[in-house]
Structure formats: structure tokens, C-alpha cells
Amino acid sequence: MNRKKVTNVMLIVLALLLVVGMAYQFTPNIEGLFNRSQTTGTPAVKVNGQTITAEELDQARRANPVLSSTDTGVLGDDFKTVVVANQIQQALVTGATQDIKVSRTDVNAEVDKIREQRGLKDNKAWTDFLQGVGLSDAAARTQIRDSIAVQRKVDALKAAVPAPTDAEAQLYYTLNPEAFQSDARIVGRQIVVADEAKAKALLAQAKGGADFAALASANSSEFKDRGGALGPVESGAPRPVAQVALPAEVGAAAFALTDGGLTDVIPSGGKFYIVKVEKYLPPAPKPFDEAKTDIMTALKTQKENAAIEQWLAGLEKDAKIEYVDPNWKTTNPTVATVAGKDIPYSEVVEGVVSNQQFASLLQQVPPEQAAGLVNGILKPQVTQGLIQTYAAPTIADKLKLDLTGTRQDIVQGLAAYGARDVKVTDADLQAYYDQNKEQFQTPAGATVSEASFRDRNQALAFRTDWNGNGDFTAAAGKAGATVSERGAVTAGDSKLSPELEAAVFSAKTLKDAGEGSLSDVVKVGDRYSVLYVTDLKPAVTQPLSAVRSQIEAQVLAAKKNEAGQAFVSKEVAALKPTDNLDKVLAAQAKRVADAEPKPTAPASDSSTPDSAAPAGATPADGAPADAAPKDSATPPATDAEPATPAPATR
């Protein structure tokens, strides 16, 4: 696969995985303060009169591997936009909490906690640590004070949130049934032994009608005191258990018996299991009253996050932004408008930058190529997602739905509402099963020993003569072979070469030999091998009936996602949003190109006699060499300072 194809495949995956629209989760982190520099430095941006320095902005960019990967071209412009937008928001939050009282005692307690966590027991260790991150003790305490104030503001916002209503809770329960389903469970018993032959004999007895509980009590190494019951016995019957109570292979086999019955002997962890399923209990929804406590907790968190999101939006709406350093001036236009709300371009870039797949892309292709791919695939995806999240509250109000939370929570609720009547049919399950049948196949397996001969005739003679009597290793060694114990082998696990694997699992000419079989003679390099195969188990594909419950949830989720997205898209389209992304990207491309250094013509060599011009000579057009063209708009150079940029609003 060539590099271009790899890139295209990766971007398709990236586009599918990209989470568009971000629910804002604000949790101040005092430890993160030590990634910030002191506020002294070159003023770059003023936010409501509060200065952000160029040093702070540069450090914020360097601290992020993605943002520091390039500072040129379209991505460099994008990254600068994100850095400035994030620092502006941080300044707005800090400025909005300056009136919150934080005592010196509060700050000292936090300092003590940080010092204890970092093992900075003496003052010198503390001072050295602060110097290492570019902070004085006073600056660190100021930043800690600010962080405590922000946390108290957040706590106050959360405390003021009203409790969820019963109507909100009932709607949440209705739209999220899968969140309140009990797991499938079984009532059953098991027999666990260390010997496979014994397990097979016990299974034969159980199939013949022997009492399973009695067999377990007499033979099982686990739960024999309760007749092999998987769960504690209550009122004469075992308590139901979930699939996680059993080893993975055993659980898969047992929970496939939705009509009850006996599993085969299942090897797992060096032991052999037989499970008798007495009753299968499918997943079932919890009653609303049982789920209500969890619902109220989830809704309360959603409402708290929504309060913080709205507070931040208010700070940004009224902010006065002034760019002092032209090197850090950014352009943050409205990229889309929906329901009377403007979406800033910085949110699109943040949606791209915050995705881990984007970081992987930057490691695979150069920035200039990544920029084109991102502009063509990711930014349109993110923009459409943001349009949906900004439109969501208006749509919910129009539909009179008691949805709560951030914009992202509400758009998810709308999608669930649009998919509330989706059901899974037998045809849906059959189609999924047919398309993904390999997922339900247990590959072939066997235990293999290899006898390798120098001479083909020796190998042929050994295969003809040995009938399984006696030990394979001894017989092959006596015949002149080098014997290798390959052990347990599964088709496709690469333990055998392709030639040997085909001889075991694909060939139809295995020769019976005692308890196993001999393969044909196989040429491997310059030698000839004969394989002794025991415990050969063919590949088995589980029928749809055995995996129905396993895939039903997946198929339902996929159908609901498709229906939910279609519903939200239709409702958003009715609001007639405007998407200016193409214009914004075109303007950015022109701005970036204009800012690039222009190539200069090489200077003429004045030392060459032929190139020297006499004083007062004129160029070919007749104008004096030191005169500007009469129609030039370029003003003459002066010693005056450049004008201070006019305040800009974000």
C-alpha cells in the first residue's frame, strides 16, 4: 500500500472517530498552574484590561506537542488561534473571580498540600522547584489564590443549580433505556476438573441423565459444597450470575445456551469446565423507581456543566479584547450561524486539535499536507457538529422536550428522541450476521509435533511405516529425523509456516496413526517434514441463534445512531443555518500567503565594470534611479513609531 493510500485510509478512519461538538467540562487544576510562566514580559493581548504576555502565549504553545509542531502555514495560523483563544478564556475566568475572597490561610494550606505531594519538604527545595518552572514564591501564591477563587466560583455555580424535575428524569429514562438494563444472567451449575479425559467422561454421564449436582459434589474442584452452583443457593435454587462470573471462553459457551442445556467440555486456564444452564434470564430494563437515583445524579451533573458553559459564554460575549503585539493578533471570524447564535472559528480548530487522531496524522504527514487534508475533511465535520450543538437548545424548546445539560448533552438527547421508536428485526440480525460471520468463527486447532528429514525418501518411508504404535518422537528420531514439539497450534496464529499450516488444517489426506494423524511430506526449505497431529478440532462457526443476544445490542445501537443523526440533521436544516467555512478558509489561505516572505531578486554585482551606471543615469523607463514612481501608494520612510493597533473585539 503506497503512502498516499495509507493517508487516505487513515483520514477516513479519523473522520469517523472524530467527536464533533465539545461539552465543556471545567475543573480547575492547581497543579496545572506550574505550567504557566510569570506575568512579566512583553504585553501581547489585553483582556478587559488584564495583560497576557507574549511569553505566556509562547509557553502555552510550547507546552502542547500538537500546537508546537509548527508555527507556519495554515496549521501554524490555526494553532496560534487556539493558543490565544484559550489564554483569553483563562484571563476572563481569572478576571471574573477576583472579587471572591481567598484568605492567606487558604493559600498557605494549598501550598503545604502541594509541597507534601511533591516531596518539597524544605524551603530550598520549594524555591528550586519554583525557579525550575519560572515562578517566584509570590507569583506562585498569586496563581494558587486565583485557582482557589475559580474553584469556589464553580462550586457556587453548581450549588445554585436547581434539582432535576420528575419530568426531566422520566424523559431521560425513556430516551436512554440501554443505560438501565440489567445484564443477562443464568441459573446454573458447573463441574471443574484438571483432567480432560475425566471431564469428557463426566459430560457423558450428565448427558446420560446422571444428577449434575451430585456429579459436581463428587468431582468438581470448585463449588462442590453447593453442588457446583454458580451462585449461592437460596431457597433451594442457585442465585443467577452474570457472564463475568465465568472465564471468558466458558461464559461465552454457557450464555449461548438461551434455552438451557449442557456445554461441551471447555478448556480454560489449565482446567476443564462443564456448565449446565438451568435457566437463561435475558437483559431486562430496570423499573423507573429503581433507576431514579442514578438518573437524578446524571441529570444533576448535566445541569452543573450547563451552568458553567453558560457562565463562560457570558464572559466571552462581553469581553473587550485588545491586541497589543501584532505578532499575536489572530483572526477569529464567525464560521457559522444558527438559531441566532454565532460560532467562532476558534471552536472549529479546538475541535480538530483536541482529537487524538489528529495528533497521529501530524506524525504521518508534513504540516502543509496535513493542512489540506484537515481543511477538506475534518473542519467540515467539526463545523457541522458545532452547528448541531448550537442549534440543539432551540430545537428542544420547539419540541417542548425537557432536555437538560450542555449543548452537547441536549443534541445527544435529541438524537435519542429521534431514534426512540427504532426496533431490530430478524432481517437486520441476519444481514449483520452474514456480513460479519468471521467474527463468530472459532478457528481450527490441534497439537502438533514435527519430524524434519534431510532426505525426502526418508520422510516418505517414515510416513509409510509408522502406524502410531509407540512414541512418535522416539520413532522419528530412530528414522533419522530432528523432532520439534510445536505444541498447541491454532489456524492463523503463525506458529507454523504457511506450508505446514496448510498440511494440518487444509489438506484432506491426513493419515490415521494411533490417537492422531500424519500429514503428507512437506518441503520446508531444503528439508522434508512430517507432522504428527493430535486433538484436531475443525473450525466452527456459531449459528445465529447462539450469538443473537450478543449482536442484537450492536445492531440496535447502529440503527438508533443512524436514525438519531437523520432526525437531528433534519431539525437543524429547518433552522436554515449558514456555514461560512469555505469563505473563512479562503480568507485564511490568502492571509497566510500574504504573510509569507517574498523572494527577493539577487543584488547586482557593483564591482563588475560593465554593470556600473554613471551618476545620475536613469533606468530604462527614464525615471531617476532614486525616485519613486509618481503613482506609488508607498509613503516615504520616516523615523516615527508605528501606530498602536486599534482595540479589536473577539
Side-chain angles (χ1 to χ4, degrees):
M1 185 179 290
N2 60 36
R3 181 173 179 178
K4 181 177 180 182
K5 189 172 182 181
V6 170
T7 300
N8 290 340
V9 170
M10 182 170 61
L11 279 167
I12 291 171
V13 174
L14 174 57
L16 292 174
L17 293 179
L18 184 66
V19 178
V20 291
M22 296 176 295
Y24 192 85
Q25 303 274 341
F26 187 78
T27 305
N29 180 6
I30 288 180
E31 291 287 307
L33 291 168
F34 299 124
N35 292 326
R36 294 165 52 189
S37 66
Q38 299 187 76
T39 57
T40 57
T42 306
V45 184
K46 288 187 177 181
V47 182
N48 295 337
Q50 180 180 344
T51 297
I52 302 173
T53 67
E55 288 78 8
E56 285 180 292
L57 292 166
D58 193 53
Q59 186 176 38
R61 177 164 56 185
R62 292 198 312 269
N64 186 304
V66 172
L67 300 180
S68 61
S69 61
T70 183
D71 60 0
T72 61
V74 168
L75 288 185
D77 187 73
D78 281 345
F79 296 165
K80 183 168 73 171
T81 298
V82 170
V83 169
V84 172
N86 287 342
Q87 293 298 303
I88 286 174
Q89 186 180 73
Q90 181 174 302
L92 288 171
V93 169
T94 302
T97 55
Q98 288 301 301
D99 60 341
I100 294 177
K101 184 177 179 180
V102 179
S103 70
R104 182 177 297 178
T105 301
D106 296 332
V107 174
N108 289 341
E110 195 61 50
V111 169
D112 291 342
K113 184 167 69 175
I114 295 171
R115 288 179 63 168
E116 182 179 353
Q117 290 172 346
R118 292 180 173 268
L120 306 171
K121 296 181 179 179
D122 57 66
N123 290 335
K124 184 178 184 307
W126 169 246
T127 302
D128 290 345
F129 164 71
L130 292 179
Q131 288 179 347
V133 295
L135 288 170
S136 66
D137 180 76
R141 290 174 185 272
T142 297
Q143 292 186 5
I144 290 171
R145 181 265 164 216
D146 290 344
S147 184
I148 294 173
V150 171
Q151 183 63 65
R152 289 181 179 175
K153 177 63 177 180
V154 169
D155 291 342
L157 288 169
K158 290 181 177 180
V161 167
T165 66
D166 286 345
E168 291 167 344
Q170 185 62 59
L171 180 61
Y172 189 91
Y173 175 79
T174 301
L175 297 183
N176 298 278
E178 65 284 345
F180 307 107
Q181 292 250 342
S182 63
D183 294 330
R185 295 169 299 159
I186 59 172
V187 175
R189 301 174 186 271
Q190 68 178 2
I191 296 173
V192 186
V193 295
D195 180 72
E196 184 177 17
K198 182 177 181 179
K200 290 180 178 179
L202 291 169
L203 177 60
Q205 292 180 55
K207 286 182 175 180
D211 185 279
F212 194 90
L215 289 175
S217 295
N219 298 280
S220 183
S221 62
E222 297 182 21
F223 305 148
K224 64 189 306 177
D225 59 329
R226 60 192 195 203
L230 295 173
V233 177
E234 298 175 349
S235 303
R239 183 190 298 171
V241 298
Q243 188 166 337
V244 294
L246 293 164
E249 307 91 336
V250 182
F255 276 74
L257 300 174
T258 55
D259 295 325
L262 289 164
T263 68
D264 288 331
V265 173
I266 311 294
S268 179
K271 299 177 182 178
F272 298 90
Y273 292 73
I274 308 166
V275 177
K276 181 179 182 181
V277 178
E278 298 174 356
K279 184 185 294 186
Y280 175 82
L281 304 173
K286 294 179 182 178
F288 174 73
D289 289 342
E290 288 184 21
K292 188 173 181 179
T293 299
D294 291 338
I295 293 171
M296 289 297 192
T297 299
L299 289 176
K300 185 174 184 297
T301 299
Q302 286 188 353
K303 287 193 163 192
E304 290 172 348
N305 288 337
I308 297 166
E309 182 180 71
Q310 291 164 12
W311 175 62
L312 290 171
L315 296 180
E316 294 172 350
K317 179 181 178 182
D318 300 327
K320 180 183 178 183
I321 312 299
E322 179 183 356
Y323 293 95
V324 181
D325 184 347
N327 292 320
W328 281 101
K329 188 178 189 308
T330 60
T331 301
N332 193 13
T334 295
V335 75
T337 302
V338 63
K341 301 178 181 67
D342 294 335
I343 303 171
Y345 177 64
S346 59
E347 288 198 31
V348 174
V349 183
E350 286 170 356
V352 173
V353 169
S354 63
N355 187 272
Q356 293 182 350
Q357 302 299 319
F358 174 65
S360 299
L361 173 65
L362 288 182
Q363 295 175 359
Q364 300 294 325
V365 298
E368 60 274 12
Q369 184 179 350
L373 297 169
V374 168
N375 282 359
I377 297 177
L378 297 184
K379 288 180 183 176
Q381 286 256 9
V382 175
T383 301
Q384 289 304 308
L386 287 169
I387 289 173
Q388 289 187 357
T389 58
Y390 270 75
T394 299
I395 297 170
D397 289 343
K398 183 189 77 170
L399 298 174
K400 294 180 171 51
L401 295 175
D402 292 316
L403 296 172
T404 66
T406 63
R407 293 188 294 260
Q408 181 65 24
D409 291 328
I410 295 174
V411 80
Q412 289 174 351
L414 288 173
Y417 177 79
R420 65 194 183 282
D421 296 327
V422 170
K423 306 294 182 188
V424 174
T425 66
D426 289 341
D428 294 329
L429 295 176
Q430 186 66 57
Y432 183 89
Y433 177 79
D434 291 341
Q435 293 168 11
N436 300 276
K437 192 169 290 187
E438 67 280 355
Q439 294 182 14
F440 314 114
Q441 186 179 77
T442 301
T447 301
V448 177
S449 298
E450 178 186 7
S452 176
F453 295 87
R454 289 183 177 277
D455 182 75
R456 182 173 183 272
N457 290 330
Q458 281 182 300
L460 288 169
F462 173 74
R463 185 178 187 276
T464 300
D465 296 341
W466 193 69
N467 58 10
N469 292 328
D471 180 69
F472 173 78
T473 301
K478 186 176 180 180
T482 300
V483 180
S484 300
E485 298 290 344
R486 296 303 190 103
V489 175
T490 301
D493 65 6
S494 301
K495 289 184 178 180
L496 299 177
S497 67
E499 302 94 336
L500 295 179
E501 183 169 301
V504 174
F505 298 117
S506 302
K508 306 297 183 183
T509 54
L510 290 175
K511 172 191 172 185
D512 291 340
E515 296 182 356
S517 306
L518 291 178
S519 73
D520 285 336
V521 174
V522 181
K523 189 174 188 300
V524 182
D526 58 355
R527 297 182 67 87
Y528 300 87
S529 293
V530 177
L531 304 177
Y532 182 49
V533 183
T534 57
D535 300 321
L536 179 62
K537 296 181 177 65
V540 176
T541 300
Q542 293 176 283
L544 174 59
S545 59
V547 298
R548 181 186 180 92
S549 60
Q550 174 186 340
I551 67 174
E552 190 166 5
Q554 299 176 46
V555 175
L556 178 61
K559 287 192 69 175
K560 281 193 168 187
N561 181 66
E562 182 178 356
Q565 284 299 312
F567 173 80
V568 172
S569 296
K570 180 180 178 182
E571 291 294 325
V572 171
L575 297 177
K576 299 181 178 180
T578 59
D579 183 347
N580 303 316
L581 179 63
D582 289 343
K583 293 180 180 178
V584 169
L585 295 181
Q588 181 194 43
K590 183 178 185 304
R591 184 176 65 253
V592 170
D594 290 344
E596 292 179 354
K598 299 297 185 292
T600 57
S604 60
D605 188 353
S606 59
S607 63
T608 305
D610 291 343
S611 66
T618 60
D621 62 2
D626 58 352
K630 293 182 180 180
D631 61 347
S632 172
T634 305
T638 70
D639 294 332
E641 294 291 332
T644 301
T649 57
R650 182 169 177 247

